[in-house]
Amino acid sequence: MLTNYLKIAWRTLRKQQGFTFINIVGLAVGMACCMLIMLYVLDELSFDRYNEKADRIYRIHADIKFGGNDMHFAVSPDPIGPTLKKDYPQVEQFVRLHQQGTWLVKRAGETINLREDNITFADSTLFDVFTLPLISGDPKRALAQPNSVVISESAAKRHFGNQNPMGQPMMFDNNKTFNVTGVMRDMPTNAHFHSDFFVSMLNDNYPWGQWLSNNHHTYILLKPGTDAQAFAKNFDTVIEKYVGPQAMQMTGSTMEQFRKAGNSLNYWMIPLTDIHLYSKQQIELAPNGDIQYVYIFSAVAFFILLIACINFMNLATARSANRAKEVGVRKVMGSERQQLVGQFMTESILTTTLAMVLALCLVAITLPEFNKLSAKSLAISQLTSTYYLPLLIALPLVVGLLAGSYPAFFLSSFQPITVLKGRINVSFRSAGLRSGLVVFQFMMSVVLIIGTLIVYRQITYIQTKNVGFNRDQVLKINDLYALGNQTEAFRQEVLRLPGVVSGSISGYLPTPSDRSDNAFFAEGQTNLNKGINMQNWGVDYDYLKTLGIQLVQGRDFSRNFGADSAGILLNEAAVRILGFKDPIGKRIWSYDDPKLKTRKTYTIIGVVKNFHFESLRRNIGALSMTLQPSSGAAAFRFSNANVPDLMKQIEAKWKQIAPGQPFSYQFMDDSFDDMYRAEQRVGTIALTFAVLAVLIACLGLFGLAAFMAEQRTKEIGVRKVLGASVTSIIGLLSKDFLKLIVIAIVIASPLAWYAMSQWLNDFAYKIDIEWWMFAVAGLLAIGIALLTVSFQSIKAALMNPVKALRSE
């Protein structure tokens, strides 16, 4: 029986080649989109699950409200890990990570450094908590001694080639030597942080034991069977037992006074496997994903596949008149309904199986470009893994059953007498379900069009908004510390080059760079709970000039004022929080050491206009600038000069002063855009799939229009004989479809408005959703639909009426 079903199904597909092509291509594109998004979504959901103890690992976060700021840190005090292990038997182990960013690294004795971005101090318990297999070395002892470092397999190849790196000394930043005590496998790409160098925490030059300072990413491993929610309640006890006494000792204030002043401190922990998609804390080890995008792309995959299935259902039911007599004859000859259902379901599953083969080819062809769009390293081989294979096998079966079920039951329900007498009516106007499905298709297409338009408008807004500083034509040169005491000499050499306007040396820039926050207090303020927490940046005399930051009160730092080392610049947000109506000349103080023993007082000499030094997702916070050396980077403003030639000259100056040191630079506008790379990727991916969704919907609309024109051949012929114009015929055939598209737009608009309003809520600075966005999307949908339908309409309208009537 199955063989017979397959033979008949194959003959039917070959006989109806046009509709078979539309169905297979539509389903193939839909399934290819679904598989690509499925690879993306499952990769996002797989983060950190490679760890064997992932279900028992948690990271401790600190949420602090102080000095007018709400701070949500992914870091916590350095003693919290050891304290939890000591005081609570539920904690099996802990590990702290202290990320160092970029260092210059080389083998001891060599002259040329390599720039390494992923360097982290870690406790010796690193390998007890995380699953990081060592190729060489003992995981228990690898980081147990000072001056030890574990390097990744890739780092070993970069620095040692085919030589054995074990026991070899390596030099970091030209002044620190560590011995290689282990080589580990490269960390998986689906880890929420990556490091090629883990240096022993014993070498971290940090003032340990500071409960009032948050600088370490702390992870704890709970013992099996521990209730994590119940354990988290112990953090209140930790705060009272450890943070409170140290706060009292250093500031003279109790935790109760701290809270009464409107401040708060809370520790909480997040499961390791939730960090990548759910954590939105400050000071993350690496940019995270967003569960919102997982939901969005999952919905997009589902709806694109559903649109393709609707095409199949619409075309199958629309052509039911062509199959009606076949059904009638089969029933008269004794076929039962279940046999007819089996036949039509076989055709459906055969179609989806052929579509699946084509879809796999499309995935293989497009996956490299999709990886570029999504910044992933997905492989087609992942689809055959034990994790994906059941989904891959189920996809054509589920799609075949979903798309073929209604046509199968619809066609098999025809009564043989009615059918053979030719009384069956499958006109377009009576096909309510089919109309509803067309509306649903274009509703989802319009939602995707509106969503894509709003995403691109927000990205454009971010890129063009006045952020309070001039990021155009500014060159950022990294790793200035490699120049040693020659940083000022390098700046002077570059300033002599034609086209260079000004230059500043500072590691604190309003793009991804160094950050340092501290608590400040008005002079005479004895209540230390009423301070202000703000960023404190070390800058030089030419910082404001180089970055185009506007001074609104007072003056800038000047070499003519010797006392400017005790001067401070504030932004407008800091002045507002401090409550100063006339801030110039006012004095504020801050603790000058990590243990809060000594103080330093500053005089406010100027106020700068607020500028965005963090992502536009956040409101502008308080910021101060003091005159102090910070050689992390340099910024040079240049005029409309020959940029490639200028870069060569600057690099030559670098190599002249620092031979063997890598030259690394970025343009500041590119560095600023890096903060919104995730949104740009989402916009591009959304645009791609929105176009594909519309194309799939139009493919079905094209086939449906062709069939409807065929069904109304006689009507068209009669109308033309009676004098109907070509324009009126086109309007007749198009208006029914146009009504459905308009209904789809009306339904889609509020849905898109709600969804995109939720997305925009993540931004402190955002666009307004305006009416014209919906109008543009609607007109675009109507235009595309009319263009699709008009081809068949014009073809039918131009047909010779004599030929049309003769065909009847």
Side-chain angles (χ1 to χ4, degrees), residues 556-592:
D556 192 2
F557 293 116
S558 172
R559 294 177 177 85
N560 297 326
F561 292 86
D564 271 3
S565 59
I568 193 168
L569 300 176
L570 302 181
N571 70 349
E572 292 171 311
V575 172
R576 174 179 53 80
I577 297 172
L578 283 166
F580 292 151
K581 292 183 179 179
D582 184 15
I584 305 303
K586 294 287 194 306
R587 293 158 68 88
I588 60 176
W589 63 270
S590 176
Y591 286 107
D592 197 34

Side-chain angles (χ1 to χ4, degrees), residues 11 65 90 108 133 173 175 202 204 231 270 337 383 406 479 482 485 556 567 625 684 713 765 801:
R11 289 171 186 166
K65 183 179 180 181
Q90 301 98 313
D173 276 352
N175 60 10
L202 298 174
D204 190 358
F231 176 79
I270 183 172
R337 186 179 183 185
L383 290 172
Y406 175 72
D479 311 322
N485 59 5
D556 192 2
M625 303 179 200
T684 306
T713 300
Y765 301 88

Side-chain angles (χ1 to χ4, degrees), residues 496-548:
R496 293 190 184 98
L497 297 175
V500 179
V501 177
S502 63
S504 172
I505 296 175
S506 175
Y508 299 94
L509 297 170
T511 57
S513 62
D514 294 341
R515 291 292 182 266
S516 176
D517 64 284
N518 207 347
F520 284 81
F521 307 85
E523 187 178 35
Q525 177 61 260
T526 57
N527 187 344
L528 301 186
N529 295 315
K530 294 185 177 180
I532 171 175
N533 196 83
M534 59 181 166
Q535 287 287 315
N536 181 27
W537 292 6
V539 301
D540 64 6
Y541 294 104
D542 299 297
Y543 187 86
L544 299 189
K545 176 184 175 183
T546 302
L547 297 184

Side-chain angles (χ1 to χ4, degrees), residues 411-451:
L411 292 172
S412 64
S413 67
F414 291 162
Q415 296 300 317
I417 296 176
T418 305
V419 168
L420 295 175
K421 285 183 178 181
R423 295 178 184 171
I424 187 167
N425 181 10
V426 290
S427 68
F428 179 80
R429 281 165 293 194
S430 64
L433 177 62
R434 194 158 58 248
S435 299
L437 293 176
V438 171
V439 169
F440 182 81
Q441 278 185 309
F442 274 87
M443 178 194 74
M444 293 314 306
S445 299
V446 171
V447 168
L448 287 174
I449 292 171
I450 294 172

Side-chain angles (χ1 to χ4, degrees), residues 443-444 446-452 454 745-760 769 774 777:
M443 178 194 74
M444 293 314 306
V446 171
V447 168
L448 287 174
I449 292 171
I450 294 172
T452 303
I454 291 174
I745 294 168
V746 171
I747 297 173
S749 295
L751 294 176
W753 175 85
Y754 176 78
M756 297 315 297
S757 295
Q758 296 301 307
W759 180 74
L760 287 171
I769 300 178
F774 301 95

